[in-house]
Amino acid sequence: MKIFYRIITIVFSAALIIGLVFYFEDDLKLAEKNLTKIINPCDKPIEYSLGDFDSKFGLSQSDFLKAIDQAAQIWQTPINKNLFTYAENGALPTGQAGLKINLIYDSRQEATDKLKKLGLNINNDQASYEVLKVKYNAFEKTYNAQKTELDNIVKYYDEQKANYEDEVKAANKRGGASAAEYDILEQERKDLNKLVESIKQKQTALNKTVDDINAVASVINRLIRELNLTVGDYNTIGASASGEFQEGRYVKDETGERIDIYQFDNQELLVRVLAHELGHALGIDHLDNPHAVMYRLNESGNEKITADDITALKAVCKIK
């Protein structure tokens, strides 16, 4: 009988252990993953998938994935190690990979796209900043002239409208306008309507100039930050986006890990900002070398990691 109870106890204990393992399977896997990261940080590649993907960038998902792969190769090639992998059967946009990479279109990219339509291709350098300063000053001069012209015609319209209304009131007090007076009043009414149309056209032109100024100012202010220039921000007109300009960012919080990409001027700079954020995903902090991919300001077009980048990467991956 004792042997029977012992067998029952062993079977029950085994079942309990199996049940606990099954119940806490996800937690155990996560614990194992975190432990592996501590012991061998770069032993297993970081699995990623696409999250939010805005088509307004005019970029296909396949081209975006190619850019991510190029950015990953920047880190992988120097140490000959697979650091990132695209999630197998990663559903778009709801793949279940550990790292989500999002492409988010907002006012930042909209400003860049507007400048491209104006024939301005922007690089992250002093030359682009100087070109945009000249463009901003030209737009500001145009805006001031258009605003003065619009203010004058609106003032003239208000005066003519007030005179017309006074004449109508006077005619009504006399019992009505004569035929000759009616013709004059009708012509004045038509002239007022023409002024309204002219005001609308001038307002539309002014609004376009405002949009152009705000787009240029937005990109200039971004360059001021990225080039670390000691100058004040350029003014925008009307409502404008608030907060510091960021092309991208890496976030790790209770919801998981993600990279948000907000803006890029061309394919090369897209690869570079992705490389920078992937560096953060690896655990690399900002570096003091202005030529490094992990420099805190994205001021360089360099797509090759520097010796400082490699040193930081090896430190993170515990490679001697």
Side-chain angles (χ1 to χ4, degrees), residues 304-318:
K304 295 180 180 179
I305 57 178
T306 63
D308 290 338
D309 289 308
I310 295 175
T311 298
L313 175 62
K314 287 183 176 180
V316 165
C317 292
K318 296 185 178 180

Side-chain angles (χ1 to χ4, degrees), residues 275-310:
H276 182 94
E277 303 309 332
L278 287 176
H280 284 312
L282 287 168
I284 304 173
D285 293 327
H286 286 148
L287 301 176
D288 293 330
N289 182 353
H291 299 293
V293 169
M294 294 309 298
Y295 185 56
R296 64 184 179 83
L297 301 173
N298 188 20
E299 67 176 10
S300 171
N302 181 27
E303 292 179 22
K304 295 180 180 179
I305 57 178
T306 63
D308 290 338
D309 289 308
I310 295 175

Side-chain angles (χ1 to χ4, degrees), residues 119-183:
L120 296 171
N121 292 315
I122 307 304
N123 296 312
N124 290 12
D125 54 28
Q126 186 76 28
S128 291
Y129 170 72
E130 297 297 338
V131 168
L132 287 181
K133 279 203 311 181
V134 173
K135 200 69 176 176
Y136 180 92
N137 292 336
F139 278 140
E140 188 176 43
K141 185 177 180 181
T142 299
Y143 168 80
N144 289 332
Q146 289 177 327
K147 185 69 166 55
T148 298
E149 186 177 8
L150 178 62
D151 288 344
N152 288 338
I153 193 173
V154 168
K155 182 180 178 182
Y156 178 71
Y157 168 80
D158 289 340
E159 292 172 350
Q160 296 304 307
K161 184 170 179 287
N163 290 336
Y164 171 77
E165 290 172 348
D166 288 343
E167 289 174 3
V168 169
K169 287 178 182 178
N172 289 336
K173 283 183 179 180
R174 294 194 303 269
S178 64
E181 288 175 332
Y182 176 82
D183 289 341

Side-chain angles (χ1 to χ4, degrees), residues 12 55 57 82 120 130-131 162 166 175 179 182 190 193 203 206 217-218 227 239 245 260 275 284 286 305:
F12 178 78
S55 61
F57 282 87
N82 186 24
L120 296 171
E130 297 297 338
V131 168
D166 288 343
Y182 176 82
K190 290 178 180 179
N193 288 339
Q203 184 65 64
L206 184 65
S218 176
L227 299 175
F245 194 103
D260 297 328
I284 304 173
H286 286 148
I305 57 178

Side-chain angles (χ1 to χ4, degrees), residues 44-92:
K44 290 184 179 180
I46 295 172
E47 194 177 34
Y48 67 87
S49 68
L50 295 191
D52 295 332
F53 187 89
D54 200 315
S55 61
K56 288 196 287 292
F57 282 87
L59 187 72
S60 69
Q61 291 179 343
S62 61
D63 284 340
F64 188 51
L65 286 171
K66 286 178 183 177
I68 296 172
D69 185 62
Q70 286 179 263
Q73 291 301 329
I74 290 174
W75 293 107
Q76 294 174 160
T77 300
I79 61 172
N80 193 28
K81 195 173 186 65
N82 186 24
L83 300 173
F84 301 95
T85 183
Y86 181 56
E88 291 184 13
N89 302 319
L92 303 176

Side-chain angles (χ1 to χ4, degrees), residues 17-34:
I17 292 171
I18 292 172
L20 288 172
V21 169
F22 179 78
Y23 184 79
F24 292 105
E25 182 179 10
D26 291 339
D27 292 331
L28 289 171
K29 285 182 178 179
L30 180 60
E32 180 188 8
K33 184 178 179 181
N34 291 334

